[in-house]
Structures are given as C-alpha cells and as structure tokens.
Amino acid sequence: MTLKWHIIPTGRVWVDPGGAFGLVPRTMWQKHQTPNKDQMIPMDLNSLLIFSDDKTILVDTGIGDKLTPKAMEMWGIEWPEGSMLNNLEKFGVRPEDVDIVIDTHLHSDHCGGNTLIADEKVVATFPNATYMVQGNEYHDATNTNVRTRATYLSPNFVPIEESGQLQKLDGDTQITKHIRTVRTPGHTPGHQSVIVEDGEHPLFFVSDLATFAIHFAKTAWVTAYDVEPLITIKTKEIWQKWAFKNKAFIIFQHDITARSGFLVKNSKGRYEMEIIEKGSINK
Ligand SMILES: [Zn+2]
C-alpha cells in the first residue's frame, strides 16, 4: 500500500494563554492568537492518521469522552469538526481496524481517546491496536508529583497496559518503512514526535515540541506547561536545523490558524514559519 496520511480532528478546547505562552508578553503573542471575551484562546486537538505498509496508524487520540461535566466545562470543549471516531470513519477506519496507536506523550489532551467507557468499564478504544509510548513517559505518568499529577490521568493509559496492548519504546524507533518516532524531550522528559518519510518533504508531527506554529520558529518561546523548558529549547534547536535543512512539512496539532507549514529564514536570517493553511498538502 502506498503511503497516505490525513489530519483527524478530535475536538477543540479553550485554554488560558498564560499556559501556552508563559513568559512571552501579550503584545507579542497576540499577533498570533486571538483571545475570546473570557480571555481564553482556542486549541485544536488533532490526531494524525497514516496508512503505511498495510498498517493503519493513529498518532495521538485527543482528550476523549470520559470527562466529567466539570472537566468538560473547564476545558470548554467543542467538536466543530466532529468526533475522532466520526472522522476516522470518513476514511473507512473502524476502531477495530487500527493496528498501532502512537502516543506522543500521556498528557490528557493527547491520549484521552486511548480508552472509553463501555458497560461501566474503561476499555481500549482500539481493541486490536498496539499502543506505543516511550517507557520513561509511562514511568513518569504512573509516578506523578504535585506538578504533574493533574494531567496524567491513569484511566487513559493503565487499562492499556493491563490489557497487554501497551508497548514501551526505548528511544527513537522505526515503526514502519515510512514512519519513525524520535525523542523530543522538554515538554515532558519522555515526549516523542513522529516523522513520516516518503520522497521529497518529510512530514514532521511535532506534538508539544511546538504547541503552536510560532513556538517552532521562536526558539525561546516555550509554554508554561513544559516540565523542562531549557531542554525544550535545546531539543528545538536540533529539530529547527533538521526541519530547515530537509524542508520538512510540519504539522501543529493544536494551532487553529496554522495547522501546518515549512520553517524558512527571513531576510535577517531568522527563522519564520511559512504557513500552509489547513494541512493542504495531504497525501
Ligand atoms: Zn498538548
């Protein structure tokens, strides 16, 4: 089977810009994101569906639908483009068809859809899938501290381990002929990104290495969510160089105004994003 990929919307949430932009002054970030009347900014939760080597692969699973009414209100969750399962169905993918789920990390807005509630039990959403996550991410998610515990919710991943469907990766891993995961620590120590390669432009699904497109171009802009911000900066410097040299097509899963683009340099030699609206070079 030839390689194909599609962006899969799983929902949209509204977050405090202090989280997304940390120390960046409002006058600077406001050129890129517009807050609503409650001073919140929108954050898409997009997954990536890939068909490669006769395998059906899903990268990240959004926030899921196990949220309590209180949590739903806190996140301001909406589904402007439908649910994850509806959007998979548009490409003929039923839950039982998914072979591999790659979790970039285990924050609740990235892996909440790993599981769902059926007959009052939390079970894997994708019953035949192997779920892949970095081993140290799983360790951190199951050994939380006061800073990390609010976003590592065990029903999103412990049932996967218990059903024998979890595979813990140990560093960069080739998944299929076209797909590999690379460690991109900083946002969390066990964070990974996904690279899809087939010819001219590698596709780079960065996850929270760059929450919004502008975070990828501005080396010093890191979110307040990052557990190790100085590591994020080091990791970003490595992957900025790689993305620029290889003309990578970069997907930003949270950015509603800049879903994808190329890293370019302006006349002053500084990095900038050339935005390709809505991920329009879908293969
Ligand atoms: Zn995120």
Side-chain angles (χ1 to χ4, degrees):
M1 190 193 268
T2 52
L3 176 71
K4 275 194 162 45
W5 60 266
H6 308 278
I7 290 172
I8 300 292
T10 78
R12 177 174 295 167
V13 294
W14 290 82
V15 296
D16 191 307
F21 290 106
L23 295 174
V24 179
R26 170 178 291 260
T27 48
M28 293 178 79
W29 63 251
Q30 235 173 14
K31 292 176 198 151
H32 305 279
Q33 295 289 331
T34 311
N36 67 9
K37 64 173 174 29
D38 297 324
Q39 300 304 316
M40 304 291 260
I41 54 171
M43 210 167 82
D44 267 353
L45 307 174
N46 289 328
S47 296
L48 184 69
L49 171 68
I50 315 165
F51 299 107
S52 160
D53 277 0
D54 292 324
K55 295 253 184 288
T56 300
I57 295 150
L58 185 66
V59 185
D60 282 349
T61 60
I63 202 164
D65 52 14
K66 301 187 301 302
L67 297 181
T68 61
K70 193 176 153 205
M72 285 181 74
E73 199 191 322
M74 190 195 85
W75 284 102
I77 189 156
E78 307 169 342
W79 291 271
E81 295 170 87
S83 73
M84 174 175 72
L85 294 183
N86 287 151
N87 286 313
L88 287 172
E89 210 181 325
K90 286 178 192 160
F91 297 102
V93 176
R94 298 163 302 171
E96 55 271 34
D97 298 331
V98 175
D99 300 299
I100 296 170
V101 174
I102 300 172
D103 287 324
T104 61
H105 60 301
L106 295 174
H107 283 169
S108 62
D109 57 321
H110 291 255
C111 70
N114 279 1
T115 56
L116 49 74
I117 298 172
D119 297 329
E120 294 176 22
K121 274 179 62 184
V122 180
V123 297
T125 305
F126 305 102
N128 301 317
T130 299
Y131 290 66
M132 298 177 176
V133 65
Q134 289 292 327
N136 59 330
E137 179 69 12
Y138 190 82
H139 176 270
D140 290 348
T142 48
N143 294 273
T144 56
N145 57 45
V146 288
R147 167 81 197 274
T148 63
R149 69 185 173 203
T151 186
Y152 281 136
L153 308 179
S154 59
N156 294 338
F157 41 80
V158 169
I160 304 295
E161 154 109 296
E162 287 171 354
S163 68
Q165 288 174 266
L166 190 78
Q167 184 181 341
K168 294 173 195 160
L169 307 180
D170 181 16
D172 300 356
T173 305
Q174 195 77 37
I175 308 291
T176 70
K177 176 170 83 188
H178 304 114
I179 303 172
R180 61 189 167 108
T181 67
V182 290
R183 290 194 62 236
T184 46
H187 183 68
T188 68
H191 186 277
Q192 62 184 348
S193 304
V194 175
I195 295 175
V196 184
E197 282 160 317
D198 174 35
E200 42 176 347
H201 298 293
L203 179 154
F204 191 23
F205 188 85
V206 290
S207 190
D208 280 331
L209 173 60
T211 295
F212 295 125
I214 191 64
H215 287 108
F216 199 72
K218 304 254 190 213
T219 312
W221 288 30
V222 291
T223 78
Y225 306 120
D226 289 22
V227 181
E228 299 180 317
L230 297 179
I231 305 285
T232 301
I233 289 173
K234 274 193 178 159
T235 303
K236 211 194 300 186
E237 283 171 338
I238 293 167
W239 290 101
Q240 282 171 326
K241 262 189 207 148
W242 177 88
F244 180 72
K245 184 168 152 238
N246 292 286
K247 299 190 172 62
F249 179 66
I250 309 162
I251 295 187
F252 303 100
Q253 71 189 119
H254 289 315
D255 199 324
I256 75 160
T257 57
R259 276 195 171 164
S260 52
F262 296 99
L263 187 68
V264 295
K265 279 188 182 169
N266 65 18
S267 55
K268 291 181 194 144
R270 295 221 178 102
Y271 286 130
E272 256 177 22
M273 286 309 305
E274 180 193 325
I275 299 307
I276 308 291
E277 197 66 27
K278 299 285 179 193
S280 59
I281 65 168
N282 264 12
K283 286 196 182 182

